[in-house]
């Protein structure tokens, strides 16, 4: 992410297992501090509520429901409804109930990689497939139910949603020169105070976790969002083959022949992230899918 000198207030923190950054112009340092605090609190609220690592999160309560009907609040209902739309539009490739596959797939960062990490046995994946399938769930405005043994995971939705919520808060407070970056999901409430655009750097794939990550391309952003998805940060190496972390819920296996990364520009981070993920799930046909979406896109091919 490129920042500016002088009047740009910057705030950085770590959340949702990603580096986060907010840039703000056209206000005093005290005003910036107040907004930064609000935005960090909102990100941490969403992280806490939908974390799969916290026993007291809303997500964990749903995953422990063991087939029982659970009450859901309006925010959770909206996210679940979005998950259903994505499942339908992807013809089942994207499915938040594929979270149960975390039991067998262990994707890691570049720093955590070993030369030949084991991949799951086909039998282990096959044993989990009966617990995957959005069509096996029921959702209405107040309730959600899934079969015993199923689990859901808001990965692929939650971070983008948090970025859009932060942008909503900034707009509601009257800030029109704010840029929010949650681990590569970037939203701007408007351009910079001098009338220029923000400059968003896209990391070159397979170098982003090195000591000196390389910028592949710099994109201008005035208002709206840019999101990037790929196999740079989470993957698995086995027998000299790189397996990306995006799983096809229909097979339980990482999608084959997908680009290394896809970047999308859209009005908001949720839409940009959604298109990125769905395109990756189309593998070798990703660009055909992207062309149909009629949004600006940039592809880094497989190395």
């Amino acid at each position: 992410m490129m920042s500016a000198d002088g009047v740009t207030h910057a705030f950085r923190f770590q959340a949702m297992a990603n580096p986060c950054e907010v840039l703000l112009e056209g206000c005093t340092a005290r005003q910036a501090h107040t907004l930064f605090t609000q935005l960090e609190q909102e990100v941490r609220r969403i992280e806490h509520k939908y974390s799969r690592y916290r026993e007291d999160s809303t997500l964990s309560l749903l995953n422990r429901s063991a087939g029982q009907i659970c009450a859901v609040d309006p925010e959770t209902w909206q996210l679940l409804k979005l998950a259903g739309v994505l499942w339908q539009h992807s013809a089942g490739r994207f499915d938040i109930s594929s979270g149960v596959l975390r039991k067998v797939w262990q994707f890691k960062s570049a720093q955590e990689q070993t030369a030949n990490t084991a991949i799951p046995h086909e039998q282990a994946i096959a044993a989990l497939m009966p617990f995957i399938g959005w069509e096996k769930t029921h959702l209405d405005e107040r309730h959600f139910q899934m079969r015993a043994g199923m689990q859901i995971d808001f990965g692929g939705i939650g971070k983008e949603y948090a970025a859009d919520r932060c942008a909503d808060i900034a707009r509601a407070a009257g800030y029109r020169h704010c840029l929010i970056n949650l681990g590569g999901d970037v939203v701007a409430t408007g351009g910079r105070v001098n009338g220029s655009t923000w400059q968003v750097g896209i990391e070159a794939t397979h170098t982003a976790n090195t000591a000196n990550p390389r910028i592949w391309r710099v994109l201008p952003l005035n208002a709206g969002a840019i999101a990037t998805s790929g196999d740079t940060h989470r993957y698995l190496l086995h027998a000299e083959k790189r397996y990306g972390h995006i799983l096809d819920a229909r097979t339980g296996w990482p999608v084959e022949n997908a680009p290394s990364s896809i970047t999308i520009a859209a009005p908001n981070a949720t839409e940009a992230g959604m298109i990125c993920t769905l395109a990756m799930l189309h593998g070798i046909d990703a660009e055909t899918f992207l062309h149909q979406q009629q949004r600006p896109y940039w592809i880094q091919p497989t190395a």
Side-chain angles (χ1 to χ4, degrees), residues 62 68-86 96 133-147 152 154:
L62 293 175
Q68 300 298 308
I69 298 173
C70 297
V72 293
D73 59 69
E75 182 177 48
T76 303
W77 172 65
Q78 288 288 351
L79 287 174
L80 290 169
K81 189 170 70 168
L82 174 61
V85 170
L86 292 172
I96 64 169
W134 186 252
E135 74 279 7
K136 302 169 187 173
T137 69
H138 174 75
L139 174 69
D140 63 39
E141 288 192 27
R142 296 184 177 180
H143 304 96
F144 178 66
Q145 183 181 25
M146 55 184 169
R147 294 181 186 176
I152 58 174
F154 284 115

Side-chain angles (χ1 to χ4, degrees), residues 137-219:
T137 69
H138 174 75
L139 174 69
D140 63 39
E141 288 192 27
R142 296 184 177 180
H143 304 96
F144 178 66
Q145 183 181 25
M146 55 184 169
R147 294 181 186 176
M150 293 181 68
Q151 295 183 11
I152 58 174
D153 183 347
F154 284 115
I157 299 177
K159 188 155 59 68
E160 293 84 347
Y161 170 69
D164 285 334
R165 281 288 306 139
C166 287
D168 289 342
I169 290 170
R171 290 191 194 97
Y175 294 103
R176 296 292 181 267
H177 310 290
C178 182
L179 186 79
I180 298 139
N181 174 17
L182 303 187
D185 294 315
V186 184
V187 189
T189 63
R192 300 186 60 183
V193 73
N194 64 4
S196 64
T197 59
W198 302 100
Q199 302 295 296
V200 179
I202 307 301
E203 293 173 329
T205 56
H206 304 178
T207 69
N209 281 327
T210 64
N212 297 298
R214 183 168 56 85
I215 297 299
W216 172 64
R217 185 163 296 189
V218 177
L219 303 177

Side-chain angles (χ1 to χ4, degrees), residues 22 63 76 127 130-131 211 297:
V22 182
N63 283 338
T76 303
F131 301 103
Y297 66 84

